[in-house]
């Protein structure tokens, strides 16, 4: 008999992901639309924060809904903040990041160039959630992004793929399932542990010279599992388990990117390490 709790929990997690990302759809879904200074192409970076911040949403997310918490948080702190939509499938509105990840990285490349041209900055900082924390590594490694990016901050990133709490191990028992996944939602298939895409991405090392990397993981992540598979190895890497900073932080995969101010405080620290302050449970009030 199948261990139903192990099967149902990740399925419930997928439903929770979709529901959480679909709920705030009253917002405008256009990456060009300013939202209280967010995606404002007249914004000029300050001497205090000289690099624009590009936010990269996760699987099933979009440029608005994924960042209703973090974008205003950073904008309030004086950053020029931008976000893009990527990985769109024909006929699928709002739920993006499902197309081939290498093609998504090309979209990110074009978007970063646009932001740099508008702001006059030499480099940008990238902050991504889930797939959005992993996909930029393809841009950095294969598309020349390392020359245009200072730092990459991944919030629950799928850097080494996921077993989805063991659910992906069941795929071989369903003939045709993997082929269907590849054909209809390539990005989902590419994020399974051991995929050809991930093997190529991680071959020869996780990082590229000249970029600072920060990974923020929650031990309660039920989507990118095991959660330590999110961590990177190499120079210029800082891996953080949020519960080591605040044991009361119960955020799982979705809410760590949407609402977790412990994670947000660590993002701010990663973007400006020279002025970092200790992250504690009290950081929810900062």
């Amino acid at each position: 008999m199948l261990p139903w709790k192990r099967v149902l929990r990740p399925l419930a997690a997928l439903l929770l992901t979709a529901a959480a990302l679909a709920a705030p759809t009253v917002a405008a879904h256009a990456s060009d639309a300013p939202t209280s200074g967010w995606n404002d192409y007249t914004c000029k970076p300050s001497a205090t924060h000289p690099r624009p911040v590009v936010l990269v949403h996760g699987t099933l997310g979009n440029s608005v809904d994924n960042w209703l918490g973090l974008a205003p948080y950073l904008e309030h702190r004086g950053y020029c903040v931008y976000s893009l939509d990527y990985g769109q499938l024909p006929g699928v509105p709002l739920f993006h990041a499902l197309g081939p990840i290498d093609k998504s990285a090309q979209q990110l490349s074009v978007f970063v160039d646009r932001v740099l041209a508008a702001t006059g900055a030499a480099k940008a900082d990238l902050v991504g959630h889930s797939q959005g924390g992993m996909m930029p590594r393809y841009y950095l490694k294969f598309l020349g992004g390392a020359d245009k990016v200072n730092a990459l901050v991944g919030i629950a990133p799928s850097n080494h793929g996921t077993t989805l709490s063991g659910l992906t191990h069941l795929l071989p028992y369903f003939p045709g399932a993997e082929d269907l996944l590849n054909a209809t939602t390539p990005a989902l298939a590419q994020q399974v542990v051991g995929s050809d895409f991930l093997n190529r991405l991680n071959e020869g090392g996780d990082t590229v010279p000249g970029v600072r990397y920060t990974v923020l993981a929650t031990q309660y992540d039920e989507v990118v599992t095991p959660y330590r598979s999110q961590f990177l190895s190499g120079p210029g890497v800082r891996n953080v388990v949020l519960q080591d900073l605040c044991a009361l932080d119960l955020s799982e995969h979705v809410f760590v990117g949407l609402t977790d101010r412990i994670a947000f405080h660590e993002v701010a620290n990663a973007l400006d390490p020279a002025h970092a302050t200790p992250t504690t449970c009290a950081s929810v009030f900062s």
Side-chain angles (χ1 to χ4, degrees):
M1 180 178 293
L2 286 173
W4 289 109
K5 286 186 178 180
R6 291 187 62 197
V7 173
L8 291 175
R9 283 184 62 192
L11 288 175
L14 286 178
L15 293 174
L16 176 62
T17 302
L21 291 171
T25 54
V26 294
H29 297 282
S31 59
D32 289 337
T35 307
S36 301
W38 164 24
N39 276 342
D40 177 2
Y41 285 89
T42 68
C43 184
K44 297 301 179 183
S46 65
T48 305
H49 300 306
R51 291 176 300 275
V53 178
V54 174
L55 303 178
V56 190
H57 64 74
T59 307
L60 298 176
N62 61 62
S63 63
V64 175
D65 294 348
N66 209 141
W67 304 119
L68 292 173
L70 182 58
Y73 182 95
L74 294 176
E75 188 263 334
H76 179 70
R77 284 157 177 75
Y79 287 92
C80 293
V81 181
Y82 303 85
S83 61
L84 76 156
D85 288 307
Y86 71 89
Q88 301 94 327
L89 292 181
V92 182
L94 307 183
F95 301 105
H96 303 318
L98 293 170
I101 298 176
D102 57 326
K103 303 299 183 185
S104 295
Q106 293 173 17
Q107 291 178 273
L108 175 62
S109 177
V110 171
F111 189 81
V112 170
D113 285 349
R114 179 185 179 189
V115 168
L116 293 180
T119 59
K123 291 188 176 185
D125 289 324
L126 308 181
V127 180
H129 179 215
S130 192
Q131 181 188 159
M134 174 272 290
M135 176 271 280
R137 293 178 49 228
Y138 189 97
Y139 163 58
L140 299 177
K141 190 169 187 176
F142 298 115
L143 302 180
D147 293 332
K148 303 173 183 179
V149 172
N150 169 70
L152 169 62
V153 184
I155 305 172
S158 51
N159 281 321
H160 296 279
T162 178
T163 66
L164 200 60
S165 299
L167 190 60
T168 60
H169 296 315
L170 299 177
L171 286 174
Y173 297 98
F174 295 88
E178 291 180 82
D179 291 339
L180 181 63
L181 203 61
N182 272 297
T184 57
T185 53
L188 295 182
Q190 290 174 320
Q191 291 179 88
V192 173
V193 168
S195 73
D196 291 342
F197 174 85
L198 288 172
N199 288 339
R200 183 184 179 214
L201 177 63
N202 295 314
E203 184 178 15
D206 292 346
T207 63
V208 296
V211 179
R212 290 188 294 104
Y213 296 82
T214 301
V215 174
L216 307 178
T218 170
Q219 68 185 35
Y220 300 112
D221 200 312
E222 76 287 27
V223 175
V224 180
T225 59
Y227 74 89
R228 291 188 178 275
S229 70
Q230 301 169 21
F231 292 162
L232 297 173
S233 299
V237 171
R238 181 168 181 257
N239 295 311
V240 179
V241 178
L242 294 172
Q243 285 72 31
D244 289 343
L245 306 176
C246 175
L248 299 178
D249 189 340
L250 301 180
S251 290
E252 44 66 72
H253 183 81
V254 176
F255 290 104
V256 72
L258 291 179
T259 62
D260 188 347
R261 291 178 71 92
I262 302 297
F264 293 178
H265 190 268
E266 276 297 290
V267 169
N269 281 345
L271 295 176
D272 188 8
H275 299 96
T277 58
T279 300
T280 68
C281 293
S283 297
V284 299
F285 304 109
S286 64

